[in-house]
Amino acid sequence: TGVGGGGYNTRGSSSPKLDQTQVNSLLAQLGIYDTDRANAKRQAATKRDTFKREKDEELKRERGKYDSKKQTVAQDYGTARTDSSTNARDTIQTLLSSLSTLGMGGSRELTRQILAAANKSNRQANTTQAQNNQGLDSAFNEYKGGYDNDLRKIDDQYGDSLAAADKGWAENRRNT
């Protein structure tokens, strides 16, 4: 038989064969699909990397705020303890001086009471510091949990984008 319509050569063969022009056209179209898929994957990676960079910058800012607040709590604690000790020392010195001037005794019991009050003040400072640190740690850990969750969502979206690019590529190739 001769050359059939539609560009197929059926001479001596039961399966249709494409001529070189058709093969070249098909290869060019398949190359376009490959390029489109590669571009979609690059865009997905760029988007993922941008989102992750933004989240990392946010984490740095939050970590800086957290560290600054922790330092403030430590400084406040140190100041409270120093003030308590200084006040106790000054009160004892004033008391001893006054009692000595008056020629009175009994300074031992008053000294114990002043020291007990200073110890109570120090315990309150310890409790306040612990509560403040716990509050800061809880808030930061809650933020960090959200941050980690956001990173998982970014990675999931990236995986979905890659899968969509592969699916579109496969459908295009199948339909060509």
Side-chain angles (χ1 to χ4, degrees), residues 9 21 39-40 58 66 133 150 154-155 162 175:
N9 181 348
T21 304
N39 287 338
E58 180 183 287
Y66 169 79
N133 280 331
D150 288 347
I154 290 168
D155 286 336
L162 293 183
N175 294 333

Side-chain angles (χ1 to χ4, degrees), residues 104-137:
M104 300 175 67
S107 63
R108 230 182 234 153
E109 179 56 31
L110 291 173
T111 299
R112 264 194 294 265
Q113 289 176 2
I114 293 168
L115 291 175
N119 287 336
K120 181 179 179 185
S121 178
N122 285 338
R123 284 191 302 274
Q124 287 171 336
N126 290 343
T127 300
T128 299
Q129 181 201 27
Q131 289 170 341
N132 289 343
N133 280 331
Q134 183 179 21
L136 288 172
D137 292 344

Side-chain angles (χ1 to χ4, degrees), residues 138-151:
S138 293
F140 187 76
N141 288 337
E142 184 176 319
Y143 164 77
K144 187 69 169 73
Y147 167 84
D148 292 340
N149 191 41
D150 288 347
L151 289 183

